[in-house]
Amino acid sequence: MGELGVSGLLARLGGPARSVWAKHDRDGGGWLPLWRHLEDCAAVAGLLWDEWVPASVRGLIAGALPGGEADARALVVWLAGVHDIGKATPAFACQVDELAEVMRDQGLVMRSAAAMGPDRRLAPHGLAGQVLLGEWLEERHGWAAGRTGPFTVAVGGHHGVPPEHGQIKALYEHEELLRTPGPGGRVWRAVQGELLDACAERFGVGERLGGWGAVRLPQPVQVLLTAVVIVSDWIASNPDLFPYVPDAASCGEEDRLAAAWRGLDLPEPWQAQEPPAAVQELFAARFDLPGGARVRPVQEAAVELAREMDRPGLMVIEAPMGEGKTEAALAVAEVFATRSGAGGVFFALPTMATGNAMFPRLLDWLERLPGVRGERRSVHLAHSKAALNEDFVDLMARGGRVAAVGVDEEAGVSGRVADGRRRAGADLVAHAWLRGRKKAMLASFVAGTIDQLLFAGLKSRHLALRHLAVAGKVVVIDEAHAYDTYMSVYLDRVLSWLGAYRVPVVVLSATLPAGRRRELVAAYAGTPPEPAAGELPADDAEPDTCAYPLLTAVAPGGAPVVRRPQASGRGTAVEVERFDDGLEVLADRLEAELADGGCVLVVRNTVRRVLETARVLRERFGDGDVTVAHSAFVDVDRAEKDADLLRRFGPPGRASGRPGRRHIVVASQVAEQSLDVDFDLLVSDLCPVDLLLQRMGRLHRHQRGDGQCERPQRLRQARCLLTGTDWTTDVPAPVRGSLAVYGRYPLLRSAAVLLPHLHSQVQRPVRLPADISTLVQGAYGVAPVGPPGWKAAVEEARLQFEEYRGDQAERAAVFRLGDVGRAGRPLFGWVAAGVGDADDSRTGRAQVRDSRESLEVVVVQRRSDGSLATLPWLKPDRRGRQRGGLELPQDQVPTPLAARTAASCGLRLPLQFSYAQTMDRAIAELEQLYVPAWQGKHSPWLADQLILALDEDCQTQLAGFSLHYSPLDGLEAVRADGAGTR
């Protein structure tokens, strides 16, 4: 801290250079000289480098420079110290008349902003600074013109978008924006050179610049340098930390910096420690292993393979459901972090619900992790509704003094923690400065949706920050099979950049097609998608491609290798039966199956089929014996549903409320992912075989007594009734809703590979896990499957499917980031023709997912007197505070509790409301309920939200639909013609 003393830049500058201004408070009249802001920013960059930037990032930058770590630190500090040199130009300085007049008095002649006119927009100060710095490197240090760009782009891009070649050319054609024409221009040139000379001397790079001129900076290094400069600038531009004090004598620089750094109080990155050598000891120390339980072979092999790799890279773990892949990934992450210098972990999951489910597991792991336990570390839940998650709210309450919009009203005042164990363990905080859509991923430990990772492949503003966030972590990608072609286009590009950053990555899947595995490995390694060492050629019919469980590992630029650990010995044989689609037929069958009790899971492919099925089953079995679970519940009800399912149908010893008689859960695809639930019988609509296997993973998932003797006698054999299809036709005919969701081709191939298990005379059970890979590779391979009579139908479906996938890939590529360019090629135009800002909103998610932009509303209730209130059935929160029926006054700001409770009742409207005409009409109708008192900063929980008000019968009309909501069944939307929710 002391090396940047008070003598600093000021002592090296004359009057004209001292007069250049950088910051101006239009409200308070305060201002900051340019030299002061450059000192602040350079000082912050040095502290960030020393105390916050992970070792893996420092190592990558250092590896590109001749002087290693010393050069890297000097470069970062210098670039931060010159980042705003473009403010020493007429185009910038003319903006504030009184400050421009002071500069004119020092000989820096300039026209007024009005006189410059619209041309001034051609010289934003970032671009101007890039040009000035490039000229200075050429003229003063003899750099070749083509070598300056990779260094100067950090200056040009420090406001989030690296300049494009056309912008650079246009500025060169308007030199008057950089310095006044004529004799006055000599003063400008002298001041610009004086500032840059002083910065080079002040920040210790004068002797280094000659050697750096021959360096060809790799593009990943350019990105990281730009990102560190951005973070430094943001911190140094915060007037609460660095007040606008133009008088140099009024504060010492060391005191100014020390006070700011204390105020910011950033947690340091994780420094992983070597985990125990014995894998059993490692797992016992990190996870809740049942008494006497042994580490499973997949887990042990994954850790051993991580240790055997020459350097950390990508590991794909394919193993059955319930085999502990999450724990294996965290253990591998610990090994990878120790060897790579990664400063944290990002766990990417398919949905907000799965992210919420992972978050407490991540916290539990962190509590036991050396290098975290007893230390202060930043943690974040990264999705748009994170502030409604109770675990995250507890962390936010401990996260510092800086307010986060929409959060501190409720979370920042209590200071409560989740429980005594967390109070005594690691000091995990959701740091206030690291909140927000552009900074959240910079926290050390993050659980969030896959969208946050895919955004790193989307051309958008401040993309460099997203890259810095992932470059310093181990990245874990869960449920890799769940991402379609559109998302995979982004994922593969992100993996190519992660490989270039040497970021360790762990990919998890129970059911990953061999071709997709090869694509993931190739994207990361930067090689063609070829078989791994020891794997047979890329013919999906070859038996070795069906090895399972399977570990595949590759280092950046290396050749992949595989390991084939044994299965754990846990297995289930599932008898699969074709079953008619009639609802009464289903009710009759379940009545017979449940004669002695039991728990049944019925999985439908659409919400509409869920509700239709539940309605018929309730008529037969009664309301109390049928539960509904799907995505069309308000957020708080959805979370309560998941918790209730885990409480009743979770693992033995943890679940406390398993029905003793009979019960039926009718669910949509929400039952496929991340819920550790266990049923006696499964009924499923036909779906792609990998997803069907995920559903089967909820069947006899746990041992219940010797030989499953604790299950009803007729349900001790695991069985799956496969329906949602007309099996009597020459070629199976899936129901229309399933075709709309999945497409005909994946469904027909799924049915084809299942045929050997469906023949009633020679029925062969599906053996889990033994048959998983064979079924998946068969369904997703290219070899013909199914009877000869299916051939024409399958081929027609394939052509349609390939056309659809091609369209997906083409549309996804429009805003996809380019591949890693050659070393020495500057990042000019890196995000050209991009999407602007990207965030975790419904619009942002639609950019990386092939889904229509959906309407999301906040659901409240309108009472008979016209007043608004929160939904009446909501349960109290963790503190015992009542949440149901809280008043939401329309003439004033609701209480923080009422506003937050209302916000927790967000709901995504069904697909019907995503079509343009219906969406426009729905928005127009929803905007009629506009409450001025709730807008702006008055009520950040409810500002700008679309409010859907239900009457006292929980009904309303919207855009030609009748809507009805209940806490039992969720939302049902019916058009005038009777068509229901998809």
Side-chain angles (χ1 to χ4, degrees):
M1 200 179 295
E3 76 179 63
L4 301 181
V6 291
S7 58
L9 282 177
L10 185 63
R12 295 171 168 84
L13 301 176
R18 294 183 182 191
S19 73
V20 180
W21 66 276
K23 300 284 183 183
H24 176 250
D25 179 2
R26 295 185 182 276
D27 296 328
W31 68 283
L32 203 66
L34 177 60
W35 69 264
R36 167 68 77 187
H37 180 56
L38 298 183
E39 285 271 22
D40 290 342
C41 197
V44 169
L47 285 171
L48 288 174
W49 182 269
D50 295 338
E51 301 184 23
W52 183 76
V53 175
S56 58
V57 172
R58 298 198 309 268
L60 189 70
I61 298 174
L65 296 164
E69 177 98 8
D71 267 12
R73 187 187 190 280
L75 177 58
V76 164
V77 170
W78 173 64
L79 287 174
V82 299
H83 79 285
D84 264 354
I85 188 61
K87 290 183 176 179
T89 59
F92 178 86
C94 69
Q95 296 178 89
V96 179
D97 290 337
E98 60 268 31
L99 298 178
E101 196 58 37
V102 173
M103 293 175 63
R104 291 188 185 102
D105 291 343
Q106 293 289 331
L108 292 165
V109 179
M110 70 191 90
R111 293 181 295 164
S112 67
M116 284 194 183
D119 282 351
R120 197 172 64 82
R121 294 196 297 268
L122 298 174
H125 72 266
L127 173 58
Q130 175 181 296
V131 170
L132 292 179
L133 183 60
E135 289 179 347
W136 179 82
L137 288 171
E138 293 174 38
E139 295 169 3
R140 300 285 179 97
H141 294 276
W143 284 33
R147 292 296 179 90
T148 63
F151 288 81
T152 62
V153 73
V155 172
H158 81 267
H159 279 283
V161 179
E164 301 175 33
H165 288 283
Q167 295 173 298
I168 300 170
K169 181 176 182 294
L171 181 54
Y172 274 120
E173 293 171 354
H174 291 79
E175 189 178 358
E176 73 277 5
L177 300 173
L178 298 176
R179 52 188 72 91
T180 304
R186 287 195 294 271
V187 181
W188 279 104
R189 184 179 291 275
V191 164
Q192 292 159 356
E194 184 180 354
L195 282 165
L196 288 170
D197 288 341
C199 285
E201 180 185 351
R202 176 73 181 92
F203 305 129
V205 301
E207 301 300 321
R208 291 179 161 99
L209 288 172
W212 290 353
V215 171
R216 302 178 66 85
L217 276 186
Q219 285 198 332
V221 172
Q222 297 177 46
V223 176
L224 296 177
L225 290 170
T226 302
V228 176
V229 169
I230 290 172
V231 175
S232 303
D233 184 32
W234 282 3
I235 295 172
S237 298
N238 185 329
D240 293 329
L241 298 174
F242 291 91
Y244 292 175
V245 183
D247 184 357
S250 64
C251 67
E253 289 170 16
E254 287 190 357
D255 293 339
R256 177 180 174 85
L257 177 61
W261 195 249
R262 285 196 306 271
L264 183 62
D265 196 23
L266 276 179
E268 294 181 4
W270 174 40
Q271 296 182 37
Q273 302 176 16
E274 185 68 38
V279 179
Q280 181 70 29
E281 181 184 351
L282 169 60
F283 275 70
R286 304 291 185 266
F287 310 110
D288 287 322
L289 295 182
R294 297 292 304 172
V295 171
R296 291 168 183 159
V298 168
Q299 297 171 327
E300 186 166 18
V303 174
E304 290 175 350
L305 179 56
R307 286 173 167 154
E308 291 170 11
M309 296 176 67
D310 291 336
R311 59 186 188 278
L314 171 78
M315 183 183 295
V316 182
I317 302 177
E318 298 172 68
M321 298 71 72
E323 280 289 287
K325 291 189 293 295
T326 296
E327 289 77 10
L330 292 174
V332 169
E334 189 173 348
V335 174
F336 277 169
T338 303
R339 300 180 60 198
S340 69
V345 174
F346 173 51
F347 214 112
L349 298 118
T351 64
M352 292 185 196
T354 53
N356 287 336
M358 175 54 61
F359 194 58
R361 298 177 68 182
L362 182 66
L363 296 179
D364 287 341
W365 175 66
L366 290 174
E367 290 288 350
R368 306 174 183 201
L369 196 61
V372 174
R373 186 170 57 245
E375 302 291 335
R376 188 165 173 272
R377 296 289 181 260
S378 58
V379 187
H380 201 86
L381 178 61
H383 61 66
S384 61
K385 297 183 179 180
L388 301 174
N389 179 280
E390 294 292 339
D391 288 305
F392 187 57
V393 165
D394 285 329
L395 296 183
M396 286 193 293
R398 302 152 60 184
R401 297 185 301 276
V402 181
V405 174
V407 170
D408 277 9
E409 283 190 9
E410 182 62 25
V413 296
S414 72
R416 293 180 72 254
V417 292
D419 52 48
R421 178 176 55 80
R422 291 222 169 105
R423 184 182 294 110
D427 190 3
L428 305 175
V429 297
H431 192 274
W433 193 83
L434 292 174
R435 299 175 198 162
R437 57 192 175 91
K438 293 184 178 180
K439 295 182 291 188
M441 286 287 291
L442 292 169
S444 294
F445 297 98
V446 182
T449 60
I450 188 68
D451 309 81
Q452 297 291 343
L453 184 62
L454 300 184
F455 286 149
L458 181 70
K459 291 182 179 179
S460 57
R461 288 182 62 87
H462 292 106
L463 182 61
L465 286 182
R466 293 191 181 276
H467 280 228
L468 174 62
V470 294
K473 294 182 177 66
V474 179
V475 174
V476 181
I477 303 170
D478 199 10
E479 308 279 6
H481 57 273
Y483 310 124
D484 63 13
T485 299
Y486 191 95
M487 299 172 74
S488 295
V489 165
Y490 284 100
L491 180 56
D492 289 355
R493 184 52 46 86
V494 171
L495 283 173
S496 71
W497 280 89
L498 294 181
Y501 290 121
R502 301 201 294 266
V503 170
V505 179
V506 185
V507 176
L508 305 179
S509 179
T511 51
L512 192 63
R516 183 65 190 130
R517 178 202 313 133
R518 287 191 287 270
E519 290 170 353
L520 294 170
V521 168
Y524 181 85
T527 58
E530 297 175 350
E535 184 182 345
L536 293 183
D539 178 355
D540 291 331
E542 293 287 354
D544 254 24
T545 64
C546 296
Y548 191 78
L550 188 68
L551 306 177
T552 308
V554 66
V561 297
V562 300
R563 295 288 185 273
R564 301 175 183 82
Q566 295 180 345
S568 66
R570 299 167 64 251
T572 304
V574 181
E575 293 181 355
V576 186
E577 176 185 338
R578 282 182 284 204
F579 191 70
D580 292 342
D581 194 48
L583 292 177
E584 292 297 335
V585 175
L586 175 62
D588 290 343
R589 178 64 176 268
L590 293 185
E591 193 165 31
E593 296 287 356
L594 297 175
D596 298 322
C599 301
V600 179
L601 175 63
V602 180
V603 184
R604 298 307 207 191
N605 291 339
T606 66
V607 173
R608 180 179 182 181
R609 281 177 60 79
V610 168
L611 297 176
E612 290 172 345
T613 302
R615 192 172 296 117
V616 170
L617 294 181
R618 282 184 176 140
E619 291 174 356
R620 182 72 63 93
F621 296 96
D623 292 349
D625 287 343
V626 179
T627 294
V628 165
H630 53 69
S631 60
F633 283 91
V634 298
D635 294 326
V636 67
D637 285 348
R638 168 75 185 277
E640 180 63 31
K641 285 281 182 184
D642 287 351
D644 178 64
L645 290 175
L646 288 170
R647 181 182 62 83
R648 291 195 288 169
F649 306 103
R654 297 182 188 175
S656 58
R658 191 173 183 86
R661 184 168 170 266
R662 67 183 183 189
H663 201 88
I664 305 167
V665 174
V666 188
S668 67
Q669 294 89 336
V670 300
E672 290 172 10
Q673 296 170 341
S674 299
L675 280 179
D676 188 2
V677 288
D678 174 24
F679 291 88
D680 303 317
L681 177 67
L682 173 67
V683 180
S684 175
D685 282 351
L686 177 66
C687 60
V689 73
D690 52 334
L691 304 183
L692 180 62
L693 291 166
Q694 293 281 347
R695 297 175 187 183
M696 288 183 183
R698 276 67 188 159
L699 179 61
H700 286 215
R701 186 179 181 93
H702 298 287
Q703 190 71 23
R704 295 190 179 273
D706 186 17
Q708 303 287 6
C709 66
E710 295 176 9
R711 301 182 192 272
Q713 185 170 358
R714 66 180 296 124
L715 300 179
R716 290 174 188 170
Q717 168 61 51
R719 283 179 290 133
C720 170
L721 308 184
L722 195 58
T723 183
T725 294
D726 184 351
W727 295 106
T728 64
T729 55
D730 292 338
V731 178
V735 295
R736 186 174 63 178
S738 297
L739 292 172
V741 173
Y742 296 117
R744 191 181 186 204
Y745 183 63
L747 294 177
L748 288 182
R749 287 198 69 99
S750 177
V753 299
L754 288 167
L755 277 182
H757 306 279
L758 290 171
H759 288 297
S760 57
Q761 294 181 347
V762 289
Q763 187 180 59
R764 181 167 67 85
V766 172
R767 297 165 299 152
L768 303 178
D771 289 335
I772 289 178
S773 190
T774 301
L775 289 169
V776 172
Q777 309 318 328
Y780 285 92
V782 296
V785 291
W790 292 20
K791 183 176 180 180
V794 171
E795 178 62 15
E796 179 185 2
R798 184 190 67 81
L799 293 174
Q800 294 173 347
F801 185 66
E802 291 300 328
E803 181 180 358
Y804 170 70
R805 290 209 308 176
D807 176 66
Q808 277 190 311
E810 185 176 335
R811 286 184 289 109
V814 173
F815 296 119
R816 181 189 58 182
L817 184 66
D819 211 340
V820 183
R822 68 179 185 276
R825 179 180 179 182
L827 289 174
F828 299 154
W830 192 48
V831 296
V835 299
D837 281 315
D839 56 26
D840 191 14
S841 63
R842 64 177 184 269
T843 304
R845 290 189 295 273
Q847 289 165 340
V848 292
R849 293 179 185 253
D850 187 25
S851 59
R852 293 178 178 272
E853 182 179 345
S854 58
L855 271 185
E856 197 158 332
V857 297
V858 169
V859 182
V860 302
Q861 188 173 57
R862 188 188 298 278
R863 295 166 172 163
S864 58
D865 62 1
S867 64
L868 299 179
T870 60
L871 299 176
W873 56 80
L874 301 182
K875 294 182 179 180
D877 67 7
R878 283 185 178 179
R879 306 179 202 179
R881 297 178 301 181
Q882 184 62 39
R883 295 188 297 175
L886 297 177
E887 184 179 0
L888 296 167
Q890 299 177 59
D891 59 347
Q892 58 184 305
V893 179
T895 67
L897 177 61
R900 183 174 183 272
T901 299
S904 71
C905 293
L907 174 68
R908 188 175 63 182
L909 294 180
L911 181 64
Q912 295 97 316
F913 292 91
S914 298
Y915 296 100
Q917 186 172 358
T918 304
M919 177 181 283
D920 291 344
R921 179 179 172 185
I923 291 174
E925 294 178 13
L926 290 165
E927 286 179 339
Q928 293 177 19
L929 179 53
Y930 177 81
V931 184
W934 297 359
Q935 306 308 312
K937 296 182 179 179
H938 302 301
S939 182
W941 287 112
L942 297 175
D944 300 320
Q945 298 292 328
L946 295 171
I947 308 297
L948 178 68
L950 305 175
D951 63 22
E952 291 188 311
D953 294 322
C954 292
Q955 300 182 54
T956 192
Q957 301 290 317
L958 182 66
F961 287 81
S962 296
L963 304 184
H964 178 262
Y965 186 90
S966 80
L968 293 178
D969 287 344
L971 182 72
E972 186 168 12
V974 180
R975 284 201 306 261
D977 62 7
T981 305
R982 198 183 102 176

